[in-house]
Amino acid sequence: MRTISENRCFGGTQGVYAHDSQATGCEMTFGLFLPEEAAQGPVPVLWFLSGLTCTHENAMVKAGAQAHAALHGIALVFPDTSPRGEGVADDEAFDMGQGAGFYLDATKEPWAPHFRMERYVTEELPKLLFGEVPLAEEQQAITGHSMGGHGALTLAMRHPGRFRSVSAFAPICNPLESDWGQRQFEGYLGSVEAGRVHDATLLMAERGLDAPLMIDTGTADQFGDKLGTAAFAGAVAERRAEATLRLQKGYDHSYFFVSTFMGDHVDFHAEALWA
């Protein structure tokens, strides 16, 4: 871990760090908030996965999560959304390539050499952090926004037992039926059908989720037709999963929406993390 910056924040420290990643074959940057309790020993950790076009910085700066996490003595990790840099494949479209990793491991060229974000988020970065930072490995939760909400849902269901609680803000819930999914699965995995194992609605129907779930989506979300909220709600009902799905009147897809309900989400995770 190489320190890029560290700032005092709500009694703790908001840092930005970089490291050389074997999973992605490039340098990766991430944000890490440690509450003051971390000086005394390991603390629970909440992972925040960001959405399309974002870096580690968007949620770190705009979501207002640190104030709420500090109240509960919880650490926050803000990974980047994709590999980056010279020699890393990219696309002119905003929803493919750098900034759009979709939290999966690509198997097709030119993406396969670097776009291994599932491995990075679930294996490499946790191993690095739990080896270097006072975080409690048995007390993890995950959340995310938009594409990051997709990541939070799918990674939790693909890695049962990892997270004590899961939440999402306006997640892409049914990418197999969306513009935000079909093109990416075709490009990264070789076919839309190959994306079945990365579709939250299908995973909920087939596997379920072994942790409490909370989702907020705005009724004025300008990308609502791409999210698949209704399909996922149907799968939750059919599965009888433990879940709270809320439609927030008048809210859109922005970080104004995310920051408004961030306190609710951190409180939700704190209850599970400290249980």
Side-chain angles (χ1 to χ4, degrees):
M1 288 173 55
R2 298 185 289 278
T3 301
I4 296 176
S5 65
E6 289 183 333
N7 298 93
R8 188 75 167 157
C9 182
F10 293 101
T13 302
Q14 176 61 64
V16 177
Y17 307 93
H19 70 109
D20 297 322
S21 167
Q22 292 185 350
T24 66
C26 65
E27 182 180 78
M28 296 293 290
T29 303
F30 63 92
L32 170 66
F33 170 73
L34 285 176
E36 58 183 342
E37 288 86 350
Q40 310 304 318
V43 295
V45 57
L46 174 60
W47 296 79
F48 189 105
L49 305 184
S50 290
L52 290 168
T53 75
C54 293
T55 69
H56 70 280
E57 188 176 38
N58 294 72
M60 185 182 80
V61 172
K62 297 178 181 179
Q66 294 90 338
H68 305 292
L71 289 174
H72 295 289
I74 294 172
L76 301 167
V77 180
F78 304 96
D80 202 347
T81 56
S82 78
R84 300 178 191 274
E86 185 177 352
V88 176
D90 201 6
D91 191 278
E92 292 183 357
F94 77 93
D95 57 356
M96 191 81 182
Q98 295 186 36
F102 269 79
Y103 302 100
L104 52 76
D105 291 345
T107 58
K108 297 298 181 181
E109 297 292 338
W111 314 105
H114 300 284
F115 281 73
R116 295 188 288 267
M117 288 302 295
E118 179 172 11
R119 188 181 313 176
Y120 176 70
V121 170
T122 63
E123 296 180 17
E124 185 177 48
L125 186 55
K127 183 178 180 180
L128 172 69
L129 289 175
F130 292 128
E132 299 282 342
V133 180
L135 302 177
E137 188 171 0
E138 72 280 4
Q139 292 173 280
Q140 297 184 64
I142 192 167
T143 187
H145 173 228
S146 193
M147 179 187 71
H150 146 81
L153 295 174
T154 59
L155 295 183
M157 286 186 277
R158 285 172 58 80
H159 298 269
R162 171 73 63 91
F163 303 107
R164 290 194 179 185
S165 52
V166 184
S167 76
F169 300 86
I172 303 171
C173 296
N174 195 196
L176 220 67
E177 303 297 331
S178 171
D179 293 342
W180 284 351
Q182 293 176 346
R183 177 170 179 263
Q184 291 77 11
F185 292 157
E186 180 75 35
Y188 293 143
L189 303 175
S191 71
V192 174
E193 184 64 18
R196 289 185 60 88
V197 294
H198 299 284
D199 185 295
T201 296
L202 298 181
L203 287 170
M204 176 59 72
E206 296 169 3
R207 304 186 186 188
L209 178 63
D210 63 348
L213 170 65
M214 179 177 180
I215 291 178
D216 278 316
T217 302
T219 62
D221 193 307
Q222 60 270 46
F223 304 111
D225 61 326
K226 301 180 185 296
L227 301 181
T229 307
F232 184 75
V236 167
E238 184 68 25
R239 191 80 188 188
R240 299 194 177 190
E242 180 184 359
T244 300
L245 310 181
R246 308 191 302 188
L247 295 177
Q248 301 292 0
K249 184 178 179 180
Y251 285 89
D252 60 14
H253 201 74
S254 70
Y255 268 96
F256 296 112
F257 155 67
V258 173
S259 62
T260 298
F261 299 102
M262 178 57 71
D264 290 353
H265 284 244
V266 175
D267 289 348
F268 166 77
H269 290 295
E271 183 176 356
L273 287 169
W274 286 113

